[in-house]
Amino acid sequence: MPNQRVSGGTVHALPADLRKALLANQKMLTLWEDITPLARNEWICWLEEAKKAETRTIRIEKARSKLLGGMRRPCCWIGCIHRTDKEVSTSVRGILNKRSKK
């Protein structure tokens, strides 16, 4: 199974730790492959934004739980700011400005 292809996002490549979690759970992998590349990108970006290793581990577990529960995108998150195909919305820009002032 190590050579099995697992789809990434539109901007972000699939990180090794998330790939490992997906390959360990066939139902999660099936759900992952069923969501859009933009949705996969959102999950990957959300995971990549974790600053601590323990937060990243928690987010992988949350992604597993949420995907298996029917969620197709991470909730309560501003979205991927790394996309270049669209401008960052005014509301997201406001959130980012507040974060940069902290």
Side-chain angles (χ1 to χ4, degrees):
M1 236 202 255
N3 294 326
Q4 183 176 352
R5 183 174 163 6
V6 182
S7 300
T10 56
V11 176
H12 298 284
L14 185 69
D17 51 357
L18 180 55
R19 183 178 192 282
K20 182 179 176 182
L22 290 163
L23 290 174
N25 186 318
Q26 185 59 47
K27 186 172 181 183
M28 181 182 175
L29 177 59
T30 299
L31 293 165
W32 180 260
E33 292 297 334
D34 186 54
I35 60 177
T36 67
L38 285 174
R40 289 192 297 268
N41 194 72
E42 297 281 315
W43 285 109
I44 295 168
C45 188
W46 174 71
L47 173 64
E48 297 276 317
E49 275 204 346
K51 291 173 181 58
K52 296 179 182 178
E54 65 187 273
T55 304
R56 191 176 174 101
T57 300
I58 290 167
R59 286 190 180 182
I60 289 175
E61 178 54 32
K62 280 187 179 181
R64 184 197 64 76
S65 173
K66 301 289 187 186
L67 282 166
L68 293 174
M71 286 184 66
R72 299 180 70 79
R73 291 179 185 260
C75 86
C76 307
W77 179 67
I78 62 171
C80 180
I81 60 169
H82 305 101
R83 290 176 54 193
T84 58
D85 61 327
K86 67 174 193 137
E87 189 175 328
V88 176
S89 71
T90 305
S91 60
V92 170
R93 217 178 359 254
I95 291 168
L96 294 171
N97 286 339
K98 284 182 184 175
R99 283 184 182 176
S100 67
K101 291 176 184 173
K102 288 184 178 181

